[in-house]
Amino acid sequence: MPSRRRGKVRARLVERDGNQCFYCGQSFSEHVKPTLDHYVPHSLWRGWRQENLVLACWQCNLAKDDVLPWPLVWLLLAHHQEAPALAA
């Protein structure tokens, strides 16, 4: 994403979510800069849609890596009915 557009997206995310890390709640400052993170990993949901972007501190973004966040996994599992038995 071009840096000019990235700046606009960050500003919208700050307005939407506040100036803090989506995962740990740490406030951003001159010393703690936000990164853009794909909530659903980019490998699973291509693109830069604002609905799938959050601000994250560097440590949280690195820790999350390229996996689905646990709250989303639990939500998906809660709505998933018992899987049909596999035919032998």
Side-chain angles (χ1 to χ4, degrees), residues 22-23 37-42 52 54 56-70 72:
F22 179 82
Y23 302 107
D37 181 47
H38 289 86
Y39 188 69
V40 175
H42 191 257
N52 189 36
V54 296
C57 65
W58 182 83
Q59 294 88 348
C60 287
N61 199 341
L62 186 64
K64 180 181 160 279
D65 198 28
D66 195 29
V67 296
L68 285 172
W70 279 108
L72 183 58

Side-chain angles (χ1 to χ4, degrees), residues 7-79:
K8 289 180 181 183
V9 169
R10 272 181 216 236
R12 282 188 245 134
L13 293 176
V14 166
E15 186 178 314
R16 182 188 77 186
D17 300 333
N19 194 33
Q20 61 187 20
C21 176
F22 179 82
Y23 302 107
C24 72
Q26 179 181 21
S27 293
F28 297 118
S29 66
E30 189 176 309
H31 303 291
V32 180
K33 301 287 185 189
T35 63
L36 290 177
D37 181 47
H38 289 86
Y39 188 69
V40 175
H42 191 257
S43 61
L44 299 174
W45 184 3
R46 297 275 182 212
W48 290 87
R49 295 184 57 122
Q50 186 174 328
E51 297 85 9
N52 189 36
L53 294 173
V54 296
L55 295 176
C57 65
W58 182 83
Q59 294 88 348
C60 287
N61 199 341
L62 186 64
K64 180 181 160 279
D65 198 28
D66 195 29
V67 296
L68 285 172
W70 279 108
L72 183 58
V73 172
W74 284 112
L75 181 66
L76 292 171
L77 289 174
H79 289 297

